Amino acid sequence: GRPAKLNKRQLQKLKSCAKNHVGISQRKLARKVMVSRPCIQRNLKKLGLTKGVMHLVDAARQREVLGYFKDEPRTIELGGSAMNCIRSLASLGRRAVFAGTICHHDDYGWHIEEKMKDLGIKYHLGHVEDATGTCLILVTPDGQRTMNTCLGASRLYDESHVPLADIANSKIFHF
């Protein structure tokens, strides 16, 4: 796990280790929903979901599951292993590049581009005609995460989207 807070020495060591970093990821946007115990017990069973497990779903199933939890508090954030790494490096002031695919006319694709601009992340986002990939994460009071991952546009990522020059100039590559 990560330390709750880094001291100055730990932060400087991390910054010196993390130079140029390029990440390519399949899933780029996470919708986190905090669910109460009665809500999770009632709805997980109805939906046929197993608590604490990642379920690969299509867009229709993603909408169905989200509909069951429409009144629960939620957050929307960049996500995925590579993106989490890239976002952390950018917040440390390091050069970071991200590549992936999004739908150029849905709210999630727009959110990803805006968030990366705000964080100062250089990005190569291919625009495709499929919904932006999302992961709906249902978090219970005991910290268990039940994930519903819809790959969406990320399924259309191909060699034409790979930022070869940025990869050649990077010291670390995360796929």
Side-chain angles (χ1 to χ4, degrees), residues 77-164:
E77 190 53 73
L78 298 173
S81 176
M83 177 48 71
N84 290 340
C85 185
I86 293 293
R87 185 181 54 198
S88 296
L89 290 168
S91 71
L92 292 170
R94 303 320 269 173
R95 178 183 170 272
V97 179
F98 181 81
T101 49
I102 61 168
C103 177
H104 65 281
H105 57 265
D106 71 15
D107 288 342
Y108 296 121
W110 177 85
H111 181 83
I112 288 169
E113 285 192 78
E114 290 302 307
K115 189 70 171 181
M116 284 201 249
K117 285 178 192 172
D118 292 346
L119 293 169
I121 297 170
K122 179 180 178 183
Y123 57 89
H124 301 275
L125 296 175
H127 294 160
V128 297
E129 292 299 321
D130 199 350
T132 300
T134 60
C135 182
L136 172 60
I137 306 168
L138 305 169
V139 183
T140 54
D142 62 359
Q144 285 288 318
R145 299 180 312 156
T146 303
M147 297 186 193
N148 293 277
T149 302
C150 177
L151 297 175
S154 64
R155 293 174 298 123
L156 301 175
Y157 189 86
D158 63 29
E159 58 275 353
S160 71
H161 298 111
V162 178
L164 296 174

Coordinates of all heavy atoms in Angstrom, one line a residue, residues 77-164:
E77 N -13.6 10.0 -11.6 CA -12.2 10.3 -11.6 C -11.5 9.5 -12.7 O -12.0 8.4 -13.1 CB -11.6 9.9 -10.2 CG -10.2 10.3 -10.0 CD -10.0 11.8 -10.2 OE1 -10.4 12.6 -9.4 OE2 -9.4 12.2 -11.2
L78 N -10.3 10.0 -13.1 CA -9.5 9.2 -14.0 C -9.1 7.9 -13.3 O -8.9 7.9 -12.1 CB -8.3 10.0 -14.4 CG -8.5 11.3 -15.1 CD1 -7.2 12.0 -15.3 CD2 -9.1 11.1 -16.5
G79 N -9.0 6.8 -14.0 CA -8.7 5.5 -13.4 C -8.0 4.6 -14.3 O -7.7 4.9 -15.5
G80 N -7.6 3.4 -13.8 CA -6.8 2.4 -14.5 C -5.4 2.5 -14.0 O -4.9 3.5 -13.6
S81 N -4.7 1.4 -14.1 CA -3.4 1.3 -13.5 C -2.4 2.3 -14.1 O -1.7 3.0 -13.4 CB -2.9 -0.2 -13.8 OG -1.5 -0.3 -13.4
A82 N -2.4 2.3 -15.5 CA -1.4 3.3 -16.1 C -1.8 4.7 -15.8 O -1.0 5.6 -15.5 CB -1.4 3.1 -17.6
M83 N -3.1 5.0 -15.9 CA -3.5 6.4 -15.6 C -3.3 6.8 -14.2 O -2.9 7.9 -13.9 CB -5.0 6.6 -16.0 CG -5.5 8.0 -15.6 SD -4.5 9.4 -16.2 CE -4.8 9.2 -18.0
N84 N -3.5 5.9 -13.2 CA -3.2 6.2 -11.8 C -1.7 6.6 -11.7 O -1.3 7.5 -11.0 CB -3.6 5.1 -10.9 CG -5.1 4.9 -10.8 OD1 -5.8 5.8 -11.1 ND2 -5.5 3.7 -10.4
C85 N -0.8 5.8 -12.3 CA 0.6 6.1 -12.3 C 0.9 7.4 -12.9 O 1.7 8.3 -12.3 CB 1.3 5.0 -12.9 SG 3.1 5.1 -12.8
I86 N 0.4 7.7 -14.1 CA 0.6 8.9 -14.8 C 0.2 10.1 -14.0 O 0.8 11.1 -13.9 CB 0.0 8.9 -16.2 CG1 0.6 7.8 -17.1 CG2 -0.1 10.2 -16.9 CD1 2.0 8.2 -17.5
R87 N -1.0 10.0 -13.5 CA -1.6 11.1 -12.7 C -0.7 11.4 -11.5 O -0.5 12.6 -11.1 CB -3.0 10.8 -12.3 CG -3.7 11.9 -11.5 CD -5.1 11.5 -11.1 NE -5.1 10.3 -10.3 CZ -6.1 9.5 -10.1 NH1 -7.3 9.8 -10.6 NH2 -6.0 8.4 -9.4
S88 N -0.3 10.4 -10.8 CA 0.6 10.6 -9.6 C 1.9 11.3 -10.0 O 2.4 12.2 -9.3 CB 0.9 9.3 -9.0 OG -0.2 8.7 -8.5
L89 N 2.5 10.9 -11.1 CA 3.8 11.5 -11.6 C 3.5 12.9 -11.9 O 4.3 13.8 -11.6 CB 4.3 10.7 -12.8 CG 4.9 9.3 -12.4 CD1 5.2 8.6 -13.7 CD2 6.1 9.5 -11.5
A90 N 2.4 13.2 -12.6 CA 2.1 14.6 -13.0 C 1.9 15.5 -11.8 O 2.4 16.6 -11.7 CB 0.9 14.7 -13.9
S91 N 1.3 14.9 -10.8 CA 1.1 15.7 -9.5 C 2.4 16.0 -8.8 O 2.5 16.9 -8.0 CB 0.1 15.0 -8.6 OG 0.7 13.9 -8.0
L92 N 3.4 15.2 -9.1 CA 4.8 15.4 -8.5 C 5.6 16.4 -9.4 O 6.8 16.6 -9.1 CB 5.5 14.1 -8.4 CG 5.0 13.1 -7.3 CD1 5.6 11.8 -7.5 CD2 5.1 13.7 -5.9
G93 N 5.0 16.8 -10.5 CA 5.7 17.8 -11.4 C 6.6 17.1 -12.4 O 7.4 17.8 -13.0
R94 N 6.4 15.8 -12.6 CA 7.2 15.1 -13.6 C 6.5 15.1 -15.0 O 5.3 15.2 -15.1 CB 7.4 13.7 -13.2 CG 8.1 13.5 -11.8 CD 9.1 14.5 -11.5 NE 10.4 14.0 -11.9 CZ 11.5 14.8 -11.9 NH1 11.4 16.0 -11.5 NH2 12.7 14.3 -12.3
R95 N 7.3 15.0 -16.0 CA 6.7 14.9 -17.4 C 6.0 13.5 -17.5 O 6.6 12.5 -17.2 CB 7.8 15.0 -18.4 CG 7.4 14.8 -19.9 CD 8.6 14.9 -20.8 NE 8.2 14.5 -22.2 CZ 8.1 13.3 -22.6 NH1 8.5 12.3 -21.9 NH2 7.8 13.1 -23.9
A96 N 4.8 13.5 -18.0 CA 4.0 12.3 -18.1 C 3.2 12.4 -19.4 O 2.7 13.4 -19.7 CB 3.1 12.1 -16.9
V97 N 3.1 11.3 -20.1 CA 2.4 11.2 -21.4 C 1.4 10.0 -21.3 O 1.8 9.0 -20.7 CB 3.3 10.9 -22.6 CG1 2.6 10.8 -23.9 CG2 4.4 12.0 -22.6
F98 N 0.2 10.2 -21.8 CA -0.8 9.2 -21.7 C -1.4 9.0 -23.1 O -1.5 9.9 -23.9 CB -2.0 9.5 -20.8 CG -3.0 8.5 -20.7 CD1 -2.8 7.4 -19.9 CD2 -4.1 8.5 -21.5 CE1 -3.7 6.4 -19.9 CE2 -5.1 7.5 -21.4 CZ -4.9 6.4 -20.6
A99 N -1.6 7.7 -23.5 CA -2.3 7.4 -24.8 C -3.4 6.4 -24.5 O -3.4 5.5 -23.7 CB -1.3 6.7 -25.7
G100 N -4.5 6.7 -25.3 CA -5.7 5.8 -25.1 C -6.7 6.2 -26.2 O -6.4 7.0 -27.0
T101 N -7.9 5.6 -26.1 CA -9.0 6.0 -27.0 C -10.2 6.4 -26.2 O -10.5 5.8 -25.2 CB -9.3 4.9 -28.0 OG1 -9.5 3.7 -27.2 CG2 -8.3 4.7 -29.0
I102 N -10.9 7.4 -26.7 CA -12.2 7.9 -26.1 C -13.2 8.1 -27.2 O -12.9 8.2 -28.4 CB -12.0 9.2 -25.3 CG1 -11.5 10.3 -26.2 CG2 -11.0 8.9 -24.1 CD1 -11.5 11.7 -25.6
C103 N -14.4 8.3 -26.8 CA -15.5 8.8 -27.7 C -15.4 10.3 -27.6 O -15.4 10.9 -26.5 CB -16.8 8.3 -27.2 SG -18.2 8.9 -28.2
H104 N -15.3 11.0 -28.7 CA -15.1 12.4 -28.7 C -16.3 13.2 -28.5 O -16.3 14.4 -28.3 CB -14.4 12.9 -30.0 CG -15.2 12.6 -31.2 ND1 -15.3 11.4 -31.8 CD2 -16.0 13.5 -31.9 CE1 -16.1 11.5 -32.9 NE2 -16.5 12.8 -33.0
H105 N -17.5 12.5 -28.4 CA -18.7 13.3 -28.2 C -19.5 12.8 -27.0 O -20.7 13.0 -26.9 CB -19.6 13.4 -29.5 CG -19.9 12.0 -30.0 ND1 -19.2 11.4 -31.0 CD2 -20.9 11.1 -29.7 CE1 -19.7 10.2 -31.3 NE2 -20.7 10.1 -30.5
D106 N -18.9 12.1 -26.1 CA -19.6 11.8 -24.8 C -19.0 12.6 -23.6 O -17.9 13.1 -23.7 CB -19.8 10.3 -24.6 CG -18.5 9.6 -24.2 OD1 -17.5 10.2 -23.8 OD2 -18.5 8.3 -24.2
D107 N -19.7 12.7 -22.6 CA -19.3 13.5 -21.4 C -18.0 12.9 -20.8 O -17.2 13.6 -20.3 CB -20.4 13.6 -20.4 CG -21.5 14.5 -20.8 OD1 -21.3 15.3 -21.7 OD2 -22.6 14.4 -20.2
Y108 N -17.9 11.6 -20.8 CA -16.7 11.0 -20.2 C -15.5 11.3 -21.0 O -14.4 11.5 -20.4 CB -16.9 9.5 -20.0 CG -18.1 9.2 -19.0 CD1 -19.2 8.4 -19.4 CD2 -18.1 9.7 -17.7 CE1 -20.2 8.2 -18.6 CE2 -19.1 9.5 -16.9 CZ -20.2 8.7 -17.3 OH -21.2 8.5 -16.4
G109 N -15.5 11.2 -22.3 CA -14.4 11.6 -23.1 C -13.9 13.0 -22.9 O -12.8 13.3 -22.7
W110 N -14.9 13.9 -22.8 CA -14.6 15.3 -22.5 C -14.0 15.5 -21.1 O -13.0 16.2 -21.0 CB -16.0 16.1 -22.6 CG -15.8 17.6 -22.2 CD1 -15.4 18.6 -23.0 CD2 -15.9 18.1 -20.9 NE1 -15.3 19.8 -22.4 CE2 -15.6 19.5 -21.0 CE3 -16.3 17.6 -19.7 CZ2 -15.7 20.4 -20.0 CZ3 -16.4 18.5 -18.6 CH2 -16.1 19.9 -18.8
H111 N -14.5 14.8 -20.1 CA -14.0 14.8 -18.8 C -12.5 14.4 -18.7 O -11.7 15.0 -18.1 CB -14.8 13.9 -17.8 CG -14.4 13.9 -16.4 ND1 -14.8 14.9 -15.5 CD2 -13.6 13.1 -15.7 CE1 -14.2 14.7 -14.4 NE2 -13.5 13.6 -14.5
I112 N -12.2 13.3 -19.5 CA -10.8 12.8 -19.5 C -9.9 13.9 -20.1 O -8.8 14.2 -19.5 CB -10.7 11.5 -20.3 CG1 -11.4 10.4 -19.5 CG2 -9.3 11.2 -20.6 CD1 -11.6 9.1 -20.3
E113 N -10.2 14.5 -21.2 CA -9.4 15.5 -21.8 C -9.2 16.7 -20.9 O -8.1 17.2 -20.7 CB -10.0 15.9 -23.2 CG -9.8 14.9 -24.3 CD -10.1 15.5 -25.6 OE1 -9.3 16.2 -26.2 OE2 -11.2 15.2 -26.1
E114 N -10.3 17.2 -20.3 CA -10.2 18.3 -19.4 C -9.3 18.0 -18.2 O -8.5 18.9 -17.8 CB -11.6 18.8 -19.0 CG -12.4 19.4 -20.1 CD -11.7 20.6 -20.8 OE1 -11.3 21.5 -20.0 OE2 -11.5 20.6 -22.0
K115 N -9.5 16.9 -17.6 CA -8.7 16.5 -16.4 C -7.2 16.4 -16.7 O -6.4 16.9 -16.0 CB -9.3 15.2 -15.8 CG -8.7 14.8 -14.5 CD -9.2 15.8 -13.4 CE -8.7 15.2 -12.1 NZ -9.2 16.0 -11.0
M116 N -6.9 15.9 -17.9 CA -5.5 15.7 -18.3 C -4.9 17.1 -18.5 O -3.8 17.4 -18.2 CB -5.3 14.8 -19.5 CG -5.5 13.4 -19.0 SD -4.7 12.2 -20.2 CE -6.2 11.5 -20.8
K117 N -5.7 18.0 -19.2 CA -5.2 19.4 -19.4 C -4.9 20.0 -18.0 O -3.9 20.7 -17.8 CB -6.3 20.2 -20.1 CG -6.4 19.9 -21.6 CD -7.5 20.8 -22.2 CE -7.8 20.3 -23.6 NZ -9.0 21.0 -24.1
D118 N -5.9 19.9 -17.1 CA -5.7 20.5 -15.7 C -4.5 19.9 -15.0 O -3.8 20.7 -14.3 CB -6.9 20.2 -14.9 CG -8.2 20.9 -15.3 OD1 -8.1 21.9 -16.1 OD2 -9.3 20.6 -14.9
L119 N -4.1 18.7 -15.2 CA -3.0 18.1 -14.5 C -1.7 18.3 -15.3 O -0.6 17.9 -14.8 CB -3.3 16.6 -14.4 CG -4.4 16.2 -13.4 CD1 -4.7 14.7 -13.5 CD2 -4.0 16.6 -12.0
G120 N -1.8 18.8 -16.5 CA -0.5 19.1 -17.3 C 0.0 17.8 -17.9 O 1.2 17.7 -18.2
I121 N -0.9 16.8 -18.2 CA -0.4 15.6 -18.8 C -0.5 15.7 -20.3 O -1.6 16.1 -20.8 CB -1.3 14.4 -18.3 CG1 -1.2 14.2 -16.8 CG2 -1.0 13.1 -19.1 CD1 -2.2 13.2 -16.2
K122 N 0.6 15.4 -21.0 CA 0.5 15.4 -22.4 C -0.2 14.1 -22.8 O 0.0 13.0 -22.2 CB 1.9 15.3 -23.0 CG 2.0 15.2 -24.5 CD 3.4 15.2 -25.0 CE 3.4 15.0 -26.5 NZ 4.8 14.9 -27.1
Y123 N -1.2 14.2 -23.8 CA -2.0 13.1 -24.1 C -2.2 12.9 -25.6 O -2.1 13.8 -26.3 CB -3.3 13.1 -23.4 CG -4.1 14.4 -23.7 CD1 -5.0 14.4 -24.8 CD2 -4.1 15.5 -22.9 CE1 -5.7 15.5 -25.1 CE2 -4.8 16.6 -23.2 CZ -5.6 16.6 -24.3 OH -6.4 17.7 -24.5
H124 N -2.3 11.6 -25.9 CA -2.6 11.2 -27.3 C -3.9 10.4 -27.2 O -3.9 9.2 -26.8 CB -1.5 10.3 -27.9 CG -0.2 11.0 -27.9 ND1 0.2 11.8 -29.0 CD2 0.8 11.0 -27.0 CE1 1.4 12.3 -28.8 NE2 1.8 11.8 -27.6
L125 N -5.0 11.0 -27.5 CA -6.3 10.3 -27.4 C -6.9 10.1 -28.7 O -7.2 11.1 -29.4 CB -7.3 11.1 -26.5 CG -6.9 11.3 -25.0 CD1 -7.8 12.2 -24.3 CD2 -6.8 9.9 -24.3
G126 N -7.0 8.9 -29.1 CA -7.7 8.6 -30.4 C -9.2 8.7 -30.2 O -9.7 8.3 -29.2
H127 N -9.9 9.4 -31.1 CA -11.3 9.5 -31.0 C -12.0 8.5 -31.9 O -11.7 8.4 -33.1 CB -11.7 10.9 -31.5 CG -11.2 12.0 -30.6 ND1 -11.1 13.3 -31.0 CD2 -10.8 12.0 -29.3 CE1 -10.6 14.0 -30.0 NE2 -10.4 13.2 -29.0
V128 N -12.8 7.7 -31.3 CA -13.5 6.6 -32.0 C -15.0 6.6 -31.7 O -15.5 7.4 -30.9 CB -12.9 5.2 -31.5 CG1 -11.4 5.1 -31.9 CG2 -13.1 5.0 -30.0
E129 N -15.7 5.9 -32.5 CA -17.2 5.9 -32.4 C -17.7 4.7 -31.5 O -18.4 3.8 -31.9 CB -17.8 5.7 -33.8 CG -17.6 7.0 -34.6 CD -18.3 8.2 -34.1 OE1 -19.4 8.2 -33.5 OE2 -17.6 9.3 -34.2
D130 N -17.3 4.8 -30.2 CA -17.8 3.9 -29.2 C -17.8 4.6 -27.9 O -16.9 5.6 -27.8 CB -17.0 2.6 -29.2 CG -17.7 1.4 -28.5 OD1 -18.7 1.7 -27.9 OD2 -17.1 0.3 -28.5
A131 N -18.6 4.3 -27.0 CA -18.6 5.0 -25.7 C -17.3 4.9 -25.0 O -16.6 3.9 -25.1 CB -19.7 4.4 -24.8
T132 N -16.9 6.0 -24.3 CA -15.6 6.0 -23.5 C -15.7 4.8 -22.5 O -16.7 4.7 -21.8 CB -15.4 7.3 -22.9 OG1 -15.4 8.3 -23.9 CG2 -14.2 7.4 -22.0
G133 N -14.6 4.1 -22.3 CA -14.6 3.0 -21.4 C -14.7 3.6 -19.9 O -14.2 4.6 -19.6
T134 N -15.4 2.8 -19.1 CA -15.6 3.3 -17.7 C -15.5 2.0 -16.8 O -15.7 0.9 -17.2 CB -17.0 3.9 -17.5 OG1 -18.0 3.0 -17.9 CG2 -17.1 5.2 -18.3
C135 N -15.3 2.3 -15.5 CA -15.4 1.3 -14.5 C -16.3 1.9 -13.4 O -15.9 2.9 -12.8 CB -14.0 0.9 -14.0 SG -14.1 -0.4 -12.8
L136 N -17.4 1.2 -13.1 CA -18.3 1.6 -12.0 C -17.8 0.8 -10.8 O -17.8 -0.4 -10.8 CB -19.7 1.3 -12.4 CG -20.7 1.4 -11.3 CD1 -20.8 2.9 -10.8 CD2 -22.1 1.0 -11.8
I137 N -17.4 1.5 -9.8 CA -16.8 0.9 -8.6 C -17.8 1.1 -7.4 O -18.0 2.3 -7.0 CB -15.4 1.4 -8.2 CG1 -14.5 1.3 -9.4 CG2 -14.9 0.7 -7.0 CD1 -13.2 2.1 -9.3
L138 N -18.4 0.0 -6.9 CA -19.3 0.1 -5.8 C -18.5 -0.2 -4.5 O -17.9 -1.2 -4.4 CB -20.4 -0.9 -6.0 CG -21.2 -0.8 -7.3 CD1 -22.1 -2.0 -7.5 CD2 -22.0 0.5 -7.3
V139 N -18.4 0.8 -3.7 CA -17.6 0.7 -2.5 C -18.5 0.6 -1.2 O -19.3 1.5 -1.0 CB -16.7 1.9 -2.3 CG1 -15.8 1.7 -1.1 CG2 -15.8 2.1 -3.5
T140 N -18.4 -0.5 -0.5 CA -19.2 -0.7 0.7 C -18.5 -0.1 1.9 O -17.3 0.2 1.9 CB -19.4 -2.2 0.9 OG1 -18.2 -2.9 0.9 CG2 -20.3 -2.8 -0.2
P141 N -19.2 0.1 3.0 CA -18.7 0.7 4.2 C -17.4 -0.1 4.8 O -16.6 0.5 5.4 CB -19.8 0.6 5.2 CG -21.0 0.6 4.4 CD -20.7 -0.1 3.2
D142 N -17.3 -1.4 4.5 CA -16.2 -2.2 4.9 C -15.0 -2.1 4.0 O -14.0 -2.7 4.1 CB -16.5 -3.6 5.2 CG -17.0 -4.3 3.9 OD1 -17.1 -3.7 2.8 OD2 -17.3 -5.5 4.0
G143 N -15.1 -1.2 2.9 CA -14.0 -1.0 2.0 C -13.9 -1.9 0.8 O -13.1 -1.8 -0.1
Q144 N -14.8 -2.9 0.7 CA -14.9 -3.8 -0.4 C -15.3 -3.0 -1.7 O -16.1 -2.2 -1.7 CB -15.9 -4.9 -0.2 CG -15.4 -6.0 0.8 CD -14.3 -6.8 0.2 OE1 -14.3 -7.3 -0.9 NE2 -13.3 -7.1 1.0
R145 N -14.6 -3.4 -2.8 CA -14.9 -2.7 -4.1 C -15.4 -3.8 -5.0 O -14.8 -4.8 -5.3 CB -13.6 -2.1 -4.7 CG -13.0 -1.0 -3.8 CD -11.8 -0.4 -4.4 NE -10.9 -1.4 -4.9 CZ -10.0 -1.2 -5.8 NH1 -9.9 0.0 -6.4 NH2 -9.1 -2.1 -6.2
T146 N -16.6 -3.6 -5.5 CA -17.2 -4.4 -6.5 C -17.2 -3.6 -7.8 O -17.7 -2.5 -7.9 CB -18.7 -4.7 -6.2 OG1 -18.7 -5.4 -4.9 CG2 -19.3 -5.6 -7.2
M147 N -16.4 -4.1 -8.8 CA -16.2 -3.3 -10.0 C -17.0 -3.9 -11.2 O -17.1 -5.1 -11.4 CB -14.7 -3.3 -10.4 CG -13.8 -2.7 -9.3 SD -12.1 -2.7 -10.0 CE -11.3 -2.3 -8.5
N148 N -17.5 -2.9 -12.0 CA -18.1 -3.3 -13.3 C -17.4 -2.5 -14.4 O -17.6 -1.3 -14.5 CB -19.6 -2.8 -13.2 CG -20.3 -3.7 -12.2 OD1 -20.8 -4.8 -12.5 ND2 -20.4 -3.2 -11.0
T149 N -16.6 -3.2 -15.1 CA -15.7 -2.6 -16.1 C -16.3 -2.7 -17.5 O -16.6 -3.9 -18.0 CB -14.3 -3.2 -16.1 OG1 -13.8 -3.0 -14.8 CG2 -13.4 -2.5 -17.1
C150 N -16.5 -1.6 -18.2 CA -17.0 -1.6 -19.6 C -15.8 -1.0 -20.4 O -15.5 0.2 -20.3 CB -18.2 -0.7 -19.7 SG -18.8 -0.6 -21.4
L151 N -15.2 -1.8 -21.2 CA -14.0 -1.4 -22.0 C -14.4 -0.3 -23.0 O -13.6 0.6 -23.3 CB -13.3 -2.6 -22.7 CG -12.8 -3.6 -21.7 CD1 -12.3 -4.8 -22.5 CD2 -11.7 -3.0 -20.8
G152 N -15.5 -0.4 -23.6 CA -16.0 0.7 -24.6 C -14.9 1.0 -25.6 O -14.4 0.1 -26.3
A153 N -14.6 2.3 -25.8 CA -13.7 2.8 -26.8 C -12.3 2.2 -26.7 O -11.6 2.1 -27.7 CB -13.7 4.3 -26.8
S154 N -11.9 1.8 -25.5 CA -10.6 1.3 -25.4 C -10.3 0.0 -26.2 O -9.2 -0.4 -26.5 CB -10.2 1.1 -23.9 OG -11.0 0.1 -23.4
R155 N -11.4 -0.7 -26.5 CA -11.3 -1.9 -27.3 C -10.8 -1.6 -28.7 O -10.3 -2.5 -29.4 CB -12.7 -2.7 -27.4 CG -13.1 -3.2 -26.1 CD -14.5 -3.8 -26.2 NE -15.5 -2.8 -26.6 CZ -16.3 -2.8 -27.7 NH1 -16.3 -3.9 -28.5 NH2 -17.1 -1.8 -27.9
L156 N -10.9 -0.3 -29.1 CA -10.6 0.1 -30.5 C -9.2 0.7 -30.6 O -8.8 1.2 -31.6 CB -11.6 1.0 -31.0 CG -13.0 0.5 -31.1 CD1 -14.0 1.5 -31.5 CD2 -13.1 -0.7 -32.0
Y157 N -8.4 0.6 -29.5 CA -7.0 1.1 -29.5 C -6.2 0.2 -30.3 O -6.3 -1.1 -30.1 CB -6.5 1.2 -28.0 CG -5.2 1.8 -27.9 CD1 -5.1 3.2 -27.8 CD2 -4.0 1.1 -28.0 CE1 -3.9 3.9 -27.7 CE2 -2.8 1.7 -27.9 CZ -2.7 3.1 -27.7 OH -1.5 3.8 -27.6
D158 N -5.5 0.7 -31.3 CA -4.6 -0.1 -32.1 C -3.3 0.6 -32.3 O -3.0 1.6 -31.8 CB -5.3 -0.5 -33.4 CG -5.6 0.7 -34.3 OD1 -4.9 1.7 -34.2 OD2 -6.6 0.7 -35.0
E159 N -2.4 -0.1 -33.2 CA -1.1 0.4 -33.4 C -1.0 1.8 -34.0 O -0.1 2.6 -33.7 CB -0.3 -0.5 -34.3 CG -0.8 -0.8 -35.6 CD -1.9 -1.9 -35.7 OE1 -2.1 -2.6 -34.7 OE2 -2.5 -2.1 -36.7
S160 N -2.1 2.3 -34.6 CA -2.1 3.7 -35.1 C -2.2 4.7 -34.0 O -1.9 5.9 -34.3 CB -3.3 3.8 -36.1 OG -4.5 3.9 -35.4
H161 N -2.6 4.3 -32.8 CA -2.7 5.2 -31.7 C -1.4 5.3 -30.8 O -1.3 6.1 -29.9 CB -3.9 4.8 -30.8 CG -5.2 4.9 -31.5 ND1 -5.9 3.7 -31.8 CD2 -5.9 5.9 -32.0 CE1 -7.0 4.1 -32.4 NE2 -7.0 5.4 -32.6
V162 N -0.5 4.4 -31.1 CA 0.7 4.3 -30.2 C 1.7 5.5 -30.5 O 2.1 5.8 -31.6 CB 1.5 3.0 -30.5 CG1 2.7 2.9 -29.6 CG2 0.6 1.8 -30.2
P163 N 2.0 6.3 -29.4 CA 2.9 7.5 -29.6 C 4.4 7.0 -29.6 O 5.1 7.2 -28.6 CB 2.5 8.3 -28.4 CG 2.1 7.3 -27.3 CD 1.5 6.2 -28.1
L164 N 4.8 6.5 -30.7 CA 6.2 5.9 -30.8 C 7.3 6.9 -30.4 O 8.2 6.5 -29.7 CB 6.4 5.4 -32.2 CG 5.5 4.2 -32.6 CD1 5.7 3.9 -34.1 CD2 5.7 3.0 -31.7

